[in-house]
Amino acid sequence: MDSERFLQEILAPVHEFCQALDGRPPAYSYVPLKTDGERIRVMQSRLFNELRAADLFGTWLRTTPELDVKATMAESAHEEMVHAGLLSKRIRDLGTDPFDYKPLPAQIAMFNAMEGLNETCERIAGFSLAGETVANYLIQMCLRSPDVPEWIKQPYRKITEDEEGHGSVPQGFLKRYATTDERQDKVRRAVAMRMVLFREYLASLDRWAMGQERW
Ligand SMILES: [Fe+2]
Ligand SMILES: [Fe+2]
């Protein structure tokens, strides 16, 4: 399949996933949250994601032969650490320990599954393309919402400047490298897996952050 058509095909379920969240914003977006306690819980969970993302990008460097992808991953690892710094400072300033957080089972499963992807294209597709596209969509939802307080929006305004590129750069890499049937098939599967796992993480975060479930 030619690379442009292929890209549109794999992006379709990701965009559908995003649009399905419009009517019912998840806790992850901060939009439905009512108390600062809930907001801090979500921020702690998202801080964990930033750190785990940095770990993953770093872990993959050695097994990424494509020099342009490797360079982007190294840069991304640094950016995710900067994001982690912003979020942990914000949480600490509010008097809470940013790391007093146990990752949700679905969150651990999601990252462990991503870590198990062994090939450049599936990593880019599952982690960067699918994951960051949804994450950025929800950050925009957060920044637009009048229900989200300014102290939350502040760090995310900085984060979104970096993350904007994380959507388009992976598209370019996939066009360049996902050029065989075998790779394209792996990419489809990685995106599908990420969507399943992301959906469950968002649902778990809803239950836990909004107090209906202890963890
Ligand atoms: Fe980030
Ligand atoms: Fe990112």
Side-chain angles (χ1 to χ4, degrees):
M1 187 185 286
D2 80 80
S3 58
E4 187 54 47
R5 251 184 55 218
F6 172 65
L7 204 60
Q8 295 317 315
E9 187 204 304
I10 54 166
L11 280 169
V14 181
H15 290 148
E16 254 169 57
F17 182 88
C18 290
Q19 276 144 26
L21 298 169
D22 277 342
R24 208 179 142 273
Y28 183 98
S29 71
Y30 298 95
V31 173
L33 305 179
K34 300 277 181 262
T35 68
D36 284 351
E38 292 175 347
R39 294 179 182 113
I40 286 170
R41 286 211 280 272
V42 169
M43 201 173 270
Q44 285 173 319
S45 183
R46 293 188 58 168
L47 166 60
F48 179 89
N49 296 339
E50 302 284 6
L51 287 169
R52 196 72 176 86
D55 286 347
L56 272 194
F57 285 129
T59 303
W60 286 340
L61 287 178
R62 201 173 169 183
T63 50
T64 304
E66 299 84 354
L67 210 63
D68 48 359
V69 180
K70 192 200 279 283
T72 299
M73 280 179 175
E75 222 169 89
S76 300
H78 169 69
E79 280 176 12
E80 304 300 0
M81 287 307 296
V82 174
H83 302 163
L86 291 168
L87 296 184
S88 57
K89 181 176 185 317
R90 181 64 5 144
I91 297 166
R92 201 174 287 115
D93 286 350
L94 288 157
T96 302
D97 175 0
F99 304 104
D100 179 19
Y101 172 74
K102 293 195 213 72
L104 300 164
Q107 188 177 20
I108 298 175
M110 178 171 75
F111 279 103
N112 288 359
M114 290 299 108
E115 196 163 19
L117 298 174
N118 288 316
E119 193 261 335
T120 298
C121 288
E122 53 180 1
R123 287 171 175 170
I124 294 171
F127 195 62
S128 303
L129 183 95
E132 308 261 14
T133 301
V134 176
N136 292 339
Y137 191 83
L138 292 172
I139 290 180
Q140 299 316 315
M141 202 187 262
C142 160
L143 293 177
R144 274 196 314 268
S145 170
D147 300 324
V148 178
E150 191 51 35
W151 64 265
I152 302 254
K153 288 181 180 173
Q154 235 174 22
Y156 284 103
R157 281 207 189 91
K158 290 204 181 132
I159 288 173
T160 196
E161 285 170 21
D162 294 334
E163 300 288 355
E164 262 158 12
H166 295 190
S168 55
V169 173
Q171 293 188 22
F173 287 148
L174 289 175
K175 273 194 203 164
R176 195 166 312 147
Y177 296 115
T179 48
T180 65
D181 287 348
E182 195 196 339
R183 281 194 187 162
Q184 292 185 350
D185 188 52
K186 280 188 171 174
V187 162
R188 270 186 209 100
R189 288 165 185 278
V191 171
M193 179 169 78
R194 181 62 192 267
M195 292 296 97
V196 168
L197 295 168
F198 212 139
R199 183 172 290 118
E200 192 44 49
Y201 166 53
L202 290 181
S204 309
L205 188 61
D206 279 354
R207 293 193 295 269
W208 173 73
M210 299 194 280
Q212 294 145 34
E213 187 177 84
R214 291 311 311 163
W215 172 244

